[in-house]
């Protein structure tokens, strides 16, 4: 794992959303954020909070079947929320065009299951790892 910049224990979904919202407010457009964790770890909960931190009020859901959900930002730009679970290789991710999302300097990209995109993930990505501790508690690690 890269340098750990922050590690928190979230006691509930609201804690996770609040943390993600605060993190979103510290980042600049063009940032790619990877979300790693087991199924049900809270990646979509994190994404919902991140979107709220950017001022997005639309419902945020998992893009598992659509692969990407796009949300306009209130001022300008977009949030791309990607779930690469159904993509089986970097070549498939490239064919889907994920590099275009990552290269959008006016957007934020949240990427669930980033290992599926392999070397396409920028070295500058902010990495989030979410781990179950209990039914309601999660450990969230942020590294840059």
């Amino acid at each position: 794992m890269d340098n750990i910049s922050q590690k928190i224990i979230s006691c509930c979904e609201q804690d996770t959303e609040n943390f993600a919202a605060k993190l979103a407010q510290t980042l600049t457009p063009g940032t790619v954020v990877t979300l790693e964790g087991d199924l049900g770890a809270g990646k979509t909960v994190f994404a919902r909070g991140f979107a709220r931190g950017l001022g997005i009020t639309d419902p945020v859901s998992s893009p598992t079947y659509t692969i990407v959900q796009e949300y306009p930002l209130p001022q300008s730009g977009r949030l791309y929320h990607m779930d690469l679970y159904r993509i089986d290789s970097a070549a498939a991710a490239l064919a889907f065009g994920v590099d275009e999302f990552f290269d959008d300097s006016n957007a934020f990209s949240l990427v669930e299951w980033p290992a599926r995109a392999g070397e396409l993930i920028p070295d500058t990505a902010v990495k989030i790892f979410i781990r179950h501790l209990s039914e309601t508690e999660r450990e969230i690690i942020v590294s840059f």
Side-chain angles (χ1 to χ4, degrees):
M1 187 174 292
D2 295 339
N3 294 328
I4 294 175
S5 299
Q6 192 165 12
K7 179 163 80 169
I8 70 151
I9 303 300
S10 168
C11 296
C12 60
E13 286 189 5
Q14 190 62 52
D15 281 355
T16 299
E17 286 189 33
N18 290 342
F19 176 75
K22 288 177 186 167
L23 178 65
Q25 293 167 0
T26 69
L27 301 175
T28 57
T31 301
V32 175
V33 178
T34 62
L35 298 172
E36 297 186 62
D38 294 334
L39 288 170
K43 295 181 294 292
T44 301
V45 170
F46 188 96
R48 188 168 55 229
F50 193 91
R52 298 292 173 263
L54 297 176
I56 296 167
T57 58
D58 294 338
V60 174
S61 59
S62 176
T64 301
Y65 296 102
T66 58
I67 300 178
V68 65
Q69 298 277 14
E70 295 184 32
Y71 302 93
L73 298 178
Q75 302 303 318
S76 68
R78 304 189 87 58
L79 168 64
Y80 301 118
H81 179 199
M82 291 170 252
D83 184 331
L84 304 183
Y85 185 76
R86 297 190 178 282
I87 292 190
D88 61 3
S89 67
L94 192 58
F96 180 72
V98 297
D99 56 326
E100 293 177 28
F101 297 117
F102 298 161
D103 290 341
D104 187 340
S105 63
N106 212 19
F108 295 87
S109 294
L110 282 177
V111 186
E112 297 186 32
W113 303 99
R116 307 289 174 119
E119 70 276 0
L120 298 176
I121 300 292
D123 292 337
T124 57
V126 175
K127 296 163 189 70
I128 309 293
F129 181 77
I130 305 173
R131 183 171 68 97
H132 283 96
L133 296 178
S134 71
E135 185 65 33
T136 57
E137 290 183 315
R138 303 292 187 266
E139 177 183 62
I140 302 172
I141 298 171
V142 180
S143 61
F144 293 89

